[in-house]
Amino acid sequence: MRIRRAVAPLCALLLLTAGCAGAEEDEGPRAQPPKASDPADAARELLADMSTKDKIGQLFVPVAVGTTAEENAELIDTHRPGGLIYFPENLEDAEQIATLSNGLQDRAVDTGAGVPLFLGIDQEQGMVSRLPVGARFPDAMAVGATGDPGAADSLARTTAKELVALGINLDYAPTADVNVNADNPVIGIRSFGADPGLVGTMMAAETEAFSDEGVVPVVKHFPGHGDTDVDSHTGLPVVEKSRAEWEKVDLPPFKKAVEDGADAVMTGHVFMPELDDSGEPATLSKNVTTGLLRDELGFDGVVSTDALNMEGVRQTHGDGEVAVRAIEAGADQLLMPPDMPAAVDAVTKAVEKGRISAKRLDASVLRLLELKVKRGLFDAEPVDPAQAESAVGTKGHKAAAQDVADASVTLLRNKSDVLPLREGAKVQVVGEGAEQIGAALEDLGATLTDSAGQADAVVAGTLSARGEADQKAVVTRARDSGTPVIVVAQGNPYDISELPGLDGYLATYSSVGVSRTAAARVVMGKVRPTGTLPVDIPGTDLKTGDGLHY
């Protein structure tokens, strides 16, 4: 028989006369590691001892507070969340992060039902990287450009090892969106590419590697965010495409994730009228979340919302109502509610009034508990803060990131074989990333100069420059000098469509340090370009699979 936490003496006395009926409901029993070996049976065992308050708390994943466990004490004690998500403001160094993770778990298992936390983070790598420590890999599109699932495995496996050392057990990655819109303001290089098969292959490799190393991966953003021209952080994207086109382009990676047994899938704040004409984003759509993802695809894992503080899901309902509607749609995990008390209160009232049935609430909590059991959260030992620093950003991890970056560089223009440059070539470096690229070129034998007229070549860095007049002006000035111009595109590869007359053009798909170093290595011929385009370039003859070599 499980031992319950002590009840205050006065309440204990009143319990005999039913005068403190809410005491056990508010406090609840302390969860012990379940006896059942089967995760589903263990989840039911845990659920049987949970109060309604603790069940509701399991649905929520708010942003962590501050940099210490003590700063999160009130949040955990009051709301009993099922998880927390880290952002840069919570993170200082490896020892601090590990100490924070240990402290948060200790607080959670000493509170209410005592269920351990999902400690999550957005560590996709590339532009979406929250950690201030560790190896920094390029973006997903760079991984797609390698054409090698081993690169995806390396990124996820290395990332997961570092997360585990820091006490982080869940990553809101990988992205399964198929980026077919060159004007997509929020996905772009966060996608592996425009080919559903490639995206599915890379997604699967990352998902498996994360899982193998002890991190729960969350595949996102169902039903697909790759054909939007609005950022769902600031508005609601509307995707006008037929059901048939969605099934052909956006669905395949998610279908593969479900078939492969994905632990969790995140819904996106996108509205696709052909999937549901209610006007609601997928996150609040029962037709999409339950009808498509659960019933048609057969997904029985955890459904997480995208962040509920994003404007794409806050267009027509208050923050409390959004939380209730997300559960009604089929979500299990409510990520980052902007007003945690309001959201918890709204869900609590919905449960009390029967709008959310006890059966519906239990279904979500069971899925969350089963995943926590399955992934060993109840048996996890504290991480060692003293060892955390030596476990992240190791020489081997950084080398793995450089290998992926080297393999991703794609050569799309090489007029008159301007590349590679000879050792000792005089080079002017301008534009985005000029300092890092220039330093890498100099280390590899180039001679830097401040004058285009005195240079053998100008290397101009761009970063998604299609809509950036200042960046395009830098390239134009370099081209007008008469010196051969080599552009290093470090964001979307689409810049070439608006930069005519170039002598050389390299796409790195990322602006992280290893990608800039990789570009310099290719420019100087120390690494041969082997990457291929994972997307089509509108307005040009460049298609998926293109790439020059030397």
Side-chain angles (χ1 to χ4, degrees):
M1 182 177 179
R2 189 167 292 124
I3 299 174
R4 296 177 181 272
R5 298 184 69 193
V7 181
L10 177 60
C11 283
L13 177 62
L14 290 174
L15 275 170
L16 298 176
T17 61
C20 194
E24 184 176 333
E25 173 71 12
D26 180 63
E27 196 63 23
R30 165 83 176 271
Q32 302 295 324
K35 296 177 182 178
S37 57
D38 178 73
D41 291 340
R44 286 189 286 269
E45 178 187 333
L46 291 162
L47 184 76
D49 282 336
M50 291 180 73
S51 69
T52 300
K53 178 173 183 174
D54 282 313
K55 291 178 183 179
I56 291 171
Q58 282 300 301
L59 307 182
F60 286 92
V61 181
V63 178
V65 179
T67 57
T68 66
E70 290 74 20
E71 292 172 277
N72 290 272
E74 182 178 356
L75 173 64
I76 293 173
D77 293 351
T78 302
H79 297 301
R80 325 268 174 87
L84 294 169
I85 183 171
Y86 290 157
F87 277 86
E89 56 265 30
N90 307 123
L91 313 173
E92 296 175 345
D93 56 47
E95 184 174 0
Q96 174 268 328
I97 300 168
T99 301
L100 173 63
S101 298
N102 287 341
L104 292 173
Q105 294 290 16
D106 287 345
R107 190 79 190 193
V109 299
D110 283 336
T111 303
V115 177
L117 296 162
F118 282 128
L119 292 179
I121 194 168
D122 279 315
Q123 192 69 10
E124 297 174 18
Q125 290 288 2
M127 65 187 294
V128 180
S129 297
R130 312 301 190 198
L131 290 177
V133 295
R136 189 79 178 271
F137 281 75
D139 292 82
M141 194 171 285
V143 176
T146 70
D148 178 13
D153 179 280
S154 177
L155 180 152
R157 198 169 297 278
T158 303
T159 302
K161 287 177 179 178
E162 298 194 340
L163 293 177
V164 167
L166 300 171
I168 300 170
N169 53 35
L170 183 147
D171 193 359
Y172 291 100
T175 298
D177 303 311
V178 181
N179 199 82
V180 292
N181 190 330
D183 295 319
N184 195 321
V186 66
I187 301 301
I189 56 175
R190 295 170 61 193
S191 165
F192 294 110
D195 176 57
L198 173 70
V199 173
T201 297
M202 297 301 182
M203 174 279 302
E206 286 201 8
T207 298
E208 182 177 3
F210 276 122
S211 298
D212 286 350
E213 297 298 333
V215 171
V216 173
V218 182
V219 179
K220 59 188 186 185
H221 308 80
F222 187 83
H225 211 314
D227 195 11
T228 60
D229 57 9
V230 172
D231 185 344
S232 52
H233 291 85
T234 58
L236 177 59
V238 178
V239 182
E240 299 280 3
K241 63 170 54 176
S242 68
R243 168 76 186 243
E245 183 68 10
W246 172 73
E247 290 181 352
K248 177 182 177 182
V249 176
D250 302 277
L251 177 60
F254 293 102
K255 185 177 181 181
K256 180 170 179 54
V258 173
E259 291 172 346
D260 289 351
D263 284 333
V265 171
M266 176 186 285
T267 57
H269 307 325
V270 298
F271 171 46
M272 293 190 183
E274 291 301 313
L275 301 185
D276 180 2
D277 61 3
S278 68
E280 297 282 17
T283 297
L284 305 184
S285 168
K286 189 170 185 178
N287 286 341
V288 173
T289 303
T290 298
L292 290 179
L293 182 57
R294 291 236 186 263
D295 296 343
E296 289 194 33
L297 296 184
F299 181 63
D300 60 1
V302 168
V303 172
S304 171
T305 70
D306 203 346
L308 296 181
N309 63 357
M310 295 165 61
E311 288 305 311
V313 77
R314 303 175 74 196
Q315 301 286 302
T316 56
H317 310 291
D319 292 330
E321 180 67 10
V322 164
V324 174
R325 287 181 178 244
I327 296 170
E328 289 180 323
D332 305 307
Q333 191 179 74
L334 306 176
L335 180 63
M336 296 169 59
D339 187 337
M340 182 74 170
V344 171
D345 183 62
V347 172
T348 300
K349 288 179 179 176
V351 171
E352 290 172 348
K353 295 178 180 179
R355 180 177 171 185
I356 296 174
S357 69
K359 181 179 180 181
R360 171 68 191 88
L361 175 63
D362 285 357
S364 280
V365 178
L366 279 170
R367 279 189 283 265
L368 292 161
L369 292 174
E370 183 175 347
L371 183 54
K372 289 183 176 185
V373 173
K374 177 183 174 183
R375 292 303 175 194
L377 268 66
F378 285 89
D379 303 314
E381 296 292 330
V383 294
D384 186 347
Q387 296 297 318
E389 184 174 358
S390 62
V392 301
T394 66
K395 184 177 180 180
H397 290 178
K398 290 180 178 178
Q402 189 64 64
D403 287 345
V404 172
D406 287 351
S408 73
V409 179
T410 307
L411 178 63
L412 296 175
R413 287 285 185 272
N414 195 18
K415 185 179 178 181
S416 301
D417 291 330
V418 65
L419 290 171
L421 300 182
R422 59 177 174 78
E423 189 169 345
K426 294 181 180 179
V427 184
Q428 183 191 33
V429 186
V430 296
E432 297 291 324
E435 185 174 349
Q436 280 186 300
I437 296 171
L441 287 170
E442 195 169 31
D443 287 344
L444 294 168
T447 300
L448 301 188
T449 176
D450 293 330
S451 170
Q454 297 177 1
D456 297 309
V458 177
V459 173
T462 63
L463 186 60
S464 300
R466 290 173 74 225
E468 300 292 333
D470 290 346
Q471 289 192 49
K472 288 191 284 187
V474 170
V475 177
T476 299
R477 284 195 298 271
R479 193 181 61 225
D480 290 346
S481 71
T483 301
V485 177
I486 301 156
V487 163
V488 176
Q490 300 152 67
N492 289 323
Y494 309 113
D495 294 355
I496 194 171
S497 65
E498 296 188 16
L499 298 174
L502 300 175
D503 298 278
Y505 187 93
L506 298 173
T508 67
Y509 316 95
S510 190
S511 60
V512 298
V514 290
S515 292
R516 289 170 171 169
T517 296
R521 290 181 172 187
V522 171
V523 167
M524 298 304 296
K526 306 301 182 183
V527 167
R528 295 182 182 276
T530 57
T532 57
L533 267 179
V535 295
D536 295 343
I537 307 294
T540 74
D541 58 353
L542 295 169
K543 303 295 183 184
T544 299
D546 285 350
L548 304 175
H549 309 285
Y550 53 72

